Amino acid sequence: MTARYLNAPDAAPAPPGAKYSHAVQAGPFLYVTGQLPVDPDDGAAPLPAGVEAQTRLVFKNLERIVAHAGYALADTVFARVYLTEFKRDYPGFNQVYRSYFPDDARLPGRTTVGVTGLARDALVEVDLVLYRD
């Protein structure tokens, strides 16, 4: 199995600090690097206020990377979520998250953890694993 390393400079924000691939495809799996709520068209723009707005921007970035790789969000089999204000933001995050995965029969597996900080003082970061036959 050969891994394919994908960068989507026209679709997603440049990685802050260290360089890494936006996604890596290994066989039928696509591993998407954690995305922050950074405007993909203006990486220097301030982050939006509130976890709901930040979550929507995170998913905009994820959708663009996933599409660049030839996948769809519906191919997601696992999501990892990081929240800096877990108790406060968990309900708001979930409300937005469910709008991207509305089919109860095809919900990805998921881990959600509270963390002490994220790059750019973001409230949320999400990475995905996708699978396609």
Side-chain angles (χ1 to χ4, degrees):
M1 171 174 54
T2 302
R4 188 172 75 133
Y5 299 86
L6 304 166
N7 288 298
D10 295 332
K19 298 293 182 195
Y20 47 81
S21 297
H22 284 113
V24 176
Q25 183 179 4
F29 289 96
L30 182 71
Y31 299 88
V32 182
T33 299
Q35 292 299 300
L36 295 169
V38 176
D39 184 332
D41 301 316
D42 181 4
L47 302 186
V51 74
E52 292 89 351
Q54 287 196 15
T55 301
R56 282 188 287 278
L57 190 50
V58 163
F59 273 93
K60 178 180 180 178
N61 293 333
L62 290 167
E63 283 179 315
R64 289 171 78 160
I65 293 167
V66 165
H68 180 81
Y71 286 71
L73 277 184
D75 297 322
T76 302
V77 294
F78 196 83
R80 237 177 324 265
V81 180
Y82 308 91
L83 297 171
T84 59
E85 298 289 338
F86 189 91
K87 287 182 182 180
R88 181 192 72 193
D89 290 341
Y90 188 73
F93 171 83
N94 279 329
Q95 182 179 5
V96 176
Y97 178 88
R98 289 289 290 163
S99 72
Y100 289 93
F101 301 106
D103 184 355
D104 285 347
R106 291 183 45 92
L107 290 173
R110 186 175 115 181
T111 297
T112 306
V113 296
V115 296
T116 60
L118 294 168
R120 295 205 45 196
D121 293 324
L123 300 173
V124 60
E125 182 172 347
V126 178
D127 66 77
L128 301 176
V129 178
L130 297 89
Y131 176 85
R132 189 182 60 205
D133 291 332

